[in-house]
Structures are given as C-alpha cells and as structure tokens.
Amino acid sequence: MSEPVSSDRPLAGLRVIDIATYIAAPYCATIMAEFGAEVIKVEQPKVGDPCRRLGTVAECGDTLVWLSEARNKKSVTLNLKSPKGAAILKQLVAKADALTENFQPGTLEGWGLGWDVLSAVNARLVMLRVSGYGQTGPYSSRPGYDPCIQAEVGLIEATGPNSSCLNEVMRSVTSASTVGS
C-alpha cells in the first residue's frame, strides 16, 4: 500500500499480522509499521476492511480514514470463518512476531483461532487483543464503542446537556482515539 519503511527503524525485521477492524487495534498495527515492522493486514473477502468505506473519499477513490489506517501495510483477504482461511492465517502466524485483533471476546475461539491454537502454532507470538471491557469479566461480552464508554464513565454527564463544550469533548476524545487511523 505504501513504500517499505527503512530498515533502521526499531521494529524492522518484525512481522505483525493485523486481523482487526475499526480504529484501536489497527491503529496499533499502523504505529508498529511506522516503527519499521512488516504489517500484513487481513481483510474480509469481497468487502475488504470496513474502514475502506468510512469517512471522506479522497481523489484516489479510497477514504481518508483508510489511507491513514492502512499506511505502510500489505493487504490480503481471508475468510477467517472458513477452514481454508483459518489454515492460511495459521501459516502467517507461524512466521509472525505479533498479531493484533479487536473482535468481541470469544469470536476467535469460536472460529478455532483463539490464543491456545495460535500460540501452539507459534510459541513466540505476542497477541494484542483490544476490547472495550477486556477478555474476561462481567462486561467482556459488551461491545465497546467510544460514545458508549464516554457515557458509562460519566464524561458526557460532566459536560452537561446544554453545554457548548459537549461537542468539543466528543470531538477531542474521538480525535484522540482515531489519530492516524
């Protein structure tokens, strides 16, 4: 997608598999690419990553969000729900240093691609799992989106219903969570 990064960067020589969607975990993979890691972005067949359709379309035909999130990444499509796609992911994981994902907890396990399986393929693998409420615990099955979490922790209430700073807070928190994605 972009030109290869210089080999003098701190993460040069590392390979990251990015199977995540929507901002948080893909952003982490983007930063790793900025620091020199080879990042392979796994997208859904036929439709690609949802960020390809998110936001303003640039002259090249891709959205600005996608251009930012996908910079310095290679891309491949795999159906992770299928045995063939799962087998190919395992081949990629066997030669990877890290994997990023942000599916709802239990999703990868349901596809037969949980930590137990992937770490058996590659014992050196570091797996970054980003979710709103963690992998375990009473709220782990809840989806975690920025406005919902802002409401839950009281940030929206703190600004007041008629506050002119509500939009400013929403904009700044959202911007901080999407920089570079």
Side-chain angles (χ1 to χ4, degrees), residues 99-110:
L99 179 136
T100 62
E101 71 94 3
N102 61 346
F103 295 106
Q104 197 163 349
T107 299
L108 286 180
E109 287 75 10

Side-chain angles (χ1 to χ4, degrees), residues 37-153:
E38 175 191 22
V39 178
I40 301 171
K41 172 70 177 164
V42 176
E43 299 185 62
Q44 300 172 47
K46 298 182 184 171
V47 297
D49 189 278
C51 283
R52 287 184 176 273
R53 299 174 298 284
L54 183 64
T56 304
V57 177
E59 289 180 22
C60 67
D62 289 319
T63 66
L64 297 174
V65 171
W66 174 251
L67 291 172
S68 181
E69 191 240 282
R71 69 185 185 272
N72 298 319
K73 296 181 184 180
K74 299 174 180 180
S75 191
V76 62
T77 60
L78 289 177
N79 180 354
L80 299 179
K81 298 174 189 177
S82 75
K84 183 177 179 182
I88 294 170
L89 179 67
K90 289 175 190 175
Q91 290 174 2
L92 290 171
V93 164
K95 297 177 182 176
D97 298 288
L99 179 136
T100 62
E101 71 94 3
N102 61 346
F103 295 106
Q104 197 163 349
T107 299
L108 286 180
E109 287 75 10
W111 297 340
L113 294 170
W115 170 249
D116 57 333
V117 173
L118 297 180
S119 64
V121 170
N122 180 349
R124 298 180 311 101
L125 184 69
V126 174
M127 188 171 185
L128 171 66
R129 304 189 89 171
V130 178
S131 64
Y133 299 94
Q135 296 296 306
T136 61
Y139 297 149
S140 64
S141 64
R142 291 183 179 180
Y145 291 99
D146 185 50
C148 298
I149 293 174
Q150 285 186 46
E152 188 169 323
V153 301

Side-chain angles (χ1 to χ4, degrees), residues 14-36:
L14 297 181
R15 178 176 286 163
V16 177
I17 310 301
D18 176 13
I19 63 173
T21 61
Y22 286 118
I23 315 304
Y27 177 64
C28 294
T30 298
I31 296 302
M32 288 188 257
E34 291 288 320
F35 279 91

